[in-house]
Amino acid sequence: MTLDRVLRRPAPRTLRGRLSLVALTTAALLMTVLTVAFNVVMDRHLQHQADDELRNRAAAVATTVDTSGPRVRVLETSNDGLLDANVWIYSGTRLLENPPSATVGSRLTLTADRLAAQRKPTCTTSHAHGRPVRLCSRPLTGRHATATVVTALDLGPYRSSAKTLLLASLMLDTVMLACTYVLTRLAVGRALRPVRTMTDQATQWSAVGSDERFGAAEHPAELARLGASLDALLDRIRTVLRHERQLTGELSHELRTPLTRIVIELDWWRSRPRSEAETRATHEVIAEATRSMRTICDTLLTDARDNALNPPTAPGTTDVVPVLDRMVQGLDTPGRVKAMVESEAEALQAGVAPALLERILSPLLANAVRYARSTVTVSARRIQGAVRIDVVDDGPGVPEGFTGELFQPGRRADEGDGHDGAGLG
């Protein structure tokens, strides 16, 4: 297992968990910096307090040291025992008095000797019996003699206070981090609730092809943009579903007529023995119907593939009048029916491929020729942003009650009129 996978495994999978983790990490880093800074400041503050205590004690002891004469003298006072505790008095570098608990040659006495030898106010930290001790020196300069007072203070209580503050700050940080994580999860969960609702609605609407949309009303700016994106996605899904249903219906409708011709020819050929010429004619009809089926499939599938690959682009243009002339000339019309093309302009272009234009008009022309009494007229003219093609015949027309279903695949006005076919589609 690689290190990258090990590091990525604990990451939460939900956005709520990730945002909560980010907030927790940020708060932990910030609190760590603040805790360290706070404890450093408090440690220095306690050390300054200890130094001030030592300087005040040294000032009190200095009042008992007489440096006005040729020799340094230590005056006796009523509080001499309190003043002598943890105090060293030097005449130059010679030790005059030392605390009862500090023997000559001990670590504290050696540290006091070193401070007295410097002959300037200074402080340092030493250790005695495993406990930190702070020592500060104060030089006293007289007319003929020089003395130094060194005082010591146990830092144990101060360090104990610093540890207590550190422990309290760590406990406070833990409580704050826990509260931050809980509040962040609650806030993020509440903020993401509309997103979850919108996602569920989008899933439901996309499954049933609903017309409902989110819109931008009563939504924050971020959710309004998300709603607009989901609306666009739902529109695209609905378009794809409509194209899929349309392609399925068109294929089944367009293929039904040549299949019907094949079935009829086979039934007719098998009904009784046929001559070689009749068999050859049947084969030609079946071959023609098969070629028509292949053309239908190629045309519709090519159009569907082009729309899927390049939906925003136009599929191309086609000169309408030459296509109409070719289709009319290729019609198998009875002798009593005359077909002609009328056009107001020679150069009319439609934004579809020639094969697709033929597939659109073929059912109309076949239906018009089938039901016309004498004339079928195909006219084309330009209208605003499009080309309009009318196929008109002088037949009986479409019943009024069937007009709304005229272009539905597989629907016919009269199933028993003696004609094969699957309707206009």
Side-chain angles (χ1 to χ4, degrees), residues 258-270:
L259 282 174
T260 302
R261 292 184 62 187
I262 293 175
V263 172
I264 291 175
E265 289 294 331
L266 289 176
D267 290 342
W268 175 79
W269 181 77
R270 289 185 300 184

Side-chain angles (χ1 to χ4, degrees), residues 266 328 335 337 341:
L266 289 176
V328 169
V337 178
V341 177

Side-chain angles (χ1 to χ4, degrees), residues 229-278:
S229 300
L230 291 177
D231 288 344
L233 179 61
L234 289 172
D235 291 337
R236 292 186 61 183
I237 292 176
R238 185 182 181 188
T239 301
V240 170
L241 292 176
R242 185 174 66 250
H243 286 172
E244 181 182 354
R245 289 193 296 265
Q246 181 179 0
L247 177 61
T248 303
E250 289 176 353
L251 278 174
S252 60
H253 175 270
E254 295 289 336
L255 294 178
R256 183 175 177 179
T257 298
L259 282 174
T260 302
R261 292 184 62 187
I262 293 175
V263 172
I264 291 175
E265 289 294 331
L266 289 176
D267 290 342
W268 175 79
W269 181 77
R270 289 185 300 184
S271 62
R272 62 182 177 84
R274 300 293 175 178
S275 64
E276 183 177 351
E278 291 174 337

